[in-house]
């Protein structure tokens, strides 16, 4: 599973988690919502990481934290530095276990997960990190259009962290109508940023993921506007009858 495929797959997974989780939260089933999101997220991570399926080493460290953050939001558990470290540690442990299991196979049957473990044991892990960083920087600064990606990520972070700001105005109605939309988009943003940072050619992850997420968010915003417009005359007429 390459970066483009992962971007669509992971973004779709989190958007599905938002939809399913929000429905269950709306009917006052937060624990079931958290369980459903955990099941969907874990299944997606296994598909992405399994050597026989996605065989993706850089995807799970991006997707797992996003799923974990959404579960915390559903259960209304406050995010602290200890919980951030726990999520990071758990993600790292999961990746190590998957890589180790792949490394246990014969060398000719290993995917790049097992080969990375062997490279790390041989002392070449730092070279891989430097190579990935160099490729990302080359892609980012080698094309002026690519510089719009970090700008867009910063702008999205501002909108999500300041829902009362003028920039967040077009989404404020949607945030009120869909309870998990804002925390869900934060989870998507975290997945995009981590995927962007950890993968070579990682600039493709937020760029491609946005082509799926943005139309869905626009659809939610238009639906919220339509519902408010239809409810407006009824509300006004009812208030006049009360008077």
């Amino acid at each position: 599973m390459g970066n483009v495929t992962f971007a669509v797959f992971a973004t779709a997974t989190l958007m599905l988690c938002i939809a399913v989780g929000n429905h269950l939260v709306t009917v006052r089933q937060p624990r079931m919502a958290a369980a459903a999101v955990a099941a969907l997220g874990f299944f997606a991570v296994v598909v992405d990481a399994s050597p026989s399926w996605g065989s993706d080493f850089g995807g799970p460290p991006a997707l797992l934290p996003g799923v974990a953050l959404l579960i915390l939001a559903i259960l209304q558990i406050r995010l602290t530095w200890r919980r951030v470290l726990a999520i990071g540690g758990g993600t790292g442990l999961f990746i190590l276990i998957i890589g180790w299991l792949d490394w246990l196979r014969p060398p000719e049957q290993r995917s790049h997960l097992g080969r990375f473990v062997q490279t790390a044991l041989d002392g070449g892990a730092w070279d891989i990190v430097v190579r990935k960083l160099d490729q990302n920087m080359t892609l980012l600064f080698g094309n002026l259009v690519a510089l719009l990606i970090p700008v867009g990520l910063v702008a999205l972070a501002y909108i999500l962290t300041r829902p009362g700001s003028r920039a967040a105005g077009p989404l404020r109605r949607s945030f009120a109508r869909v309870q998990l939309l804002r925390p869900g988009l934060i989870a998507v943003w975290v997945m995009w940023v981590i995927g962007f940072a950890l993968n070579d050619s990682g600039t493709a992850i937020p760029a491609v993921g946005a082509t799926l997420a943005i139309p869905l968010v626009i659809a939610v915003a238009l639906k919220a506007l339509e519902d408010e417009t239809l409810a407006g005359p009824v509300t006004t007429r009812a208030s006049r009858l009360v008077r």
Side-chain angles (χ1 to χ4, degrees):
M1 190 177 293
N3 287 338
V4 172
T5 307
F6 169 76
V8 176
F9 178 74
T11 303
T13 295
L14 290 175
M15 298 302 288
L16 177 61
C17 287
I18 294 172
V20 173
N22 188 80
H23 170 72
L24 293 172
V25 168
T26 302
V27 297
R28 301 182 185 278
Q29 296 288 341
R31 292 185 178 180
M32 187 176 295
V37 169
L40 288 170
F42 184 73
F43 177 75
V45 169
V46 170
V47 170
D48 183 39
S50 173
S52 58
W53 287 337
S55 186
D56 185 13
F57 189 75
L63 182 55
L64 264 178
V67 174
L69 288 176
L70 186 54
I71 293 173
L72 291 180
I74 291 172
L75 298 177
Q76 298 184 353
I77 297 175
R78 185 169 173 267
L79 189 63
T80 63
W81 283 110
R82 288 186 178 181
R83 292 190 175 105
V84 170
L85 292 176
I87 291 172
T91 300
L93 180 61
F94 176 82
I95 300 304
L96 287 176
I97 291 174
I98 293 294
W100 177 68
L101 291 175
D102 188 36
W103 176 77
L104 291 177
R105 302 195 299 175
E108 65 276 6
Q109 297 181 14
R110 294 172 186 166
S111 71
H112 73 283
L113 298 169
R115 292 194 295 270
F116 175 81
V117 173
Q118 185 61 55
T119 301
L121 293 174
D122 294 337
W126 179 249
D127 294 335
I128 295 179
V129 173
V130 172
R131 175 176 58 82
K132 288 179 177 289
L133 180 62
D134 180 66
Q135 288 180 345
N136 260 341
M137 292 300 101
T138 299
L139 286 173
L140 187 60
F141 293 102
N143 188 342
L144 292 178
V145 176
L147 291 175
L148 295 176
I149 295 173
V151 173
L153 289 173
V154 171
L156 180 59
Y158 179 82
I159 291 172
L160 294 176
T161 55
R162 296 179 176 272
S165 65
R166 181 178 298 181
L171 290 176
R172 198 172 297 125
R173 186 183 294 105
S174 303
F175 289 159
R177 183 177 184 272
V178 182
Q179 184 177 340
L180 287 188
L181 182 60
R182 179 170 167 262
L185 290 179
I186 292 174
V188 171
W189 182 89
V190 168
M191 182 270 292
W192 284 350
V193 170
I194 297 177
F196 170 77
L198 292 184
N199 291 276
D200 48 350
S201 306
T203 52
I205 291 177
V208 174
T211 63
L212 175 64
I214 290 176
L216 294 176
V217 173
I218 291 174
V220 172
L222 291 176
K223 178 62 177 174
L225 179 61
E226 179 186 13
D227 290 346
E228 184 178 285
T229 303
L230 293 175
V234 176
T235 304
T236 303
R237 192 180 304 113
S239 63
R240 287 177 180 174
L241 290 174
V242 171
R243 290 178 183 177

